[in-house]
Amino acid sequence: RVFAEKFDLLLGRKTYEIFAAYWPYYDDDTHGGIAKLFNAIGKYVVSRSGDVDTSWSRSRLLRDIADVKRVKEEDGPNLVTQGSTELVHALLANDLVDAMSVFTVPVVLGGGKKLFADGSVPHRFRLAASRVSTSGLLIGHYERVGDIILGDPPPGEDGDQ
């Protein structure tokens, strides 16, 4: 569903470098059309450090969260982020996340990266859609609905946060 709507990728440097080392070398349908899609759309890579090779077609370097805010305000497609934990933390801290799809895989591999950083700014989302695959993968799509409500919910709201 996410890839069915028009979008550009917004990636942190490490994730961008992984994608850029792989996807430009595929243009067939062996990946369900994702290679063609990723190669055709715009790519934004956010990096504060060093040089980043942006030779992958339609790639653009953003240096900071202010650059991300400017792109988000432009009249363009949705921005989709995959991986990019540090970038996601910065997007959440600056209230730049309108929606998120969270994939919960029923496998424990050990420690990992946190989706929400310590000290994250509180945000309120509502579950807009969910699906469970036959293997138990849970996909929850959440949309931003405003500020955190403390105390009794306003009339007409169930208070779920």
Side-chain angles (χ1 to χ4, degrees):
R1 187 189 61 76
V2 172
F3 294 153
E5 300 171 10
K6 189 172 180 181
F7 71 96
D8 285 339
L9 284 172
L10 175 66
L11 305 170
R13 181 187 53 81
K14 293 174 191 173
T15 303
Y16 174 85
E17 288 175 347
I18 292 167
F19 278 36
Y22 185 82
W23 291 115
Y25 305 100
Y26 295 91
D27 64 0
D28 57 24
D29 290 327
T30 60
H31 295 88
I34 292 294
K36 282 183 182 179
L37 179 62
F38 280 5
N39 287 318
I41 63 173
K43 278 84 59 184
Y44 296 93
V45 54
V46 183
S47 177
R48 296 180 306 261
S49 62
D51 292 329
V52 178
D53 178 2
T54 56
S55 60
W56 185 15
S57 66
R58 301 198 60 213
S59 293
R60 183 172 150 200
L61 178 63
L62 304 178
R63 283 295 182 189
D64 55 31
I65 206 71
D67 286 345
V68 174
K69 285 180 184 179
R70 281 190 286 279
V71 170
K72 189 174 183 298
E73 291 170 357
E74 292 173 2
D75 187 27
N78 289 332
L79 298 172
V80 172
T81 302
Q82 293 186 316
S84 306
T85 309
E86 290 180 35
L87 175 59
V88 169
H89 292 168
L91 295 172
L92 285 165
N94 287 276
D95 199 14
L96 293 173
V97 177
D98 299 319
M100 62 182 147
S101 293
V102 179
F103 296 71
T104 304
V105 181
V107 175
V108 177
L109 297 175
K113 296 180 180 181
K114 294 180 178 181
L115 175 58
F116 304 106
D118 293 338
S120 290
V121 176
H123 295 87
R124 185 167 174 234
F125 290 85
R126 73 171 179 84
L127 181 63
S130 64
R131 202 170 103 205
V132 179
S133 74
T134 56
S135 64
L137 171 74
L138 174 64
I139 304 167
H141 181 74
Y142 299 87
E143 295 178 352
R144 184 85 157 80
V145 292
D147 296 328
I148 297 293
I149 298 172
L150 301 175
D152 292 330
E157 291 196 29
D158 62 11
D160 288 340
Q161 297 186 24

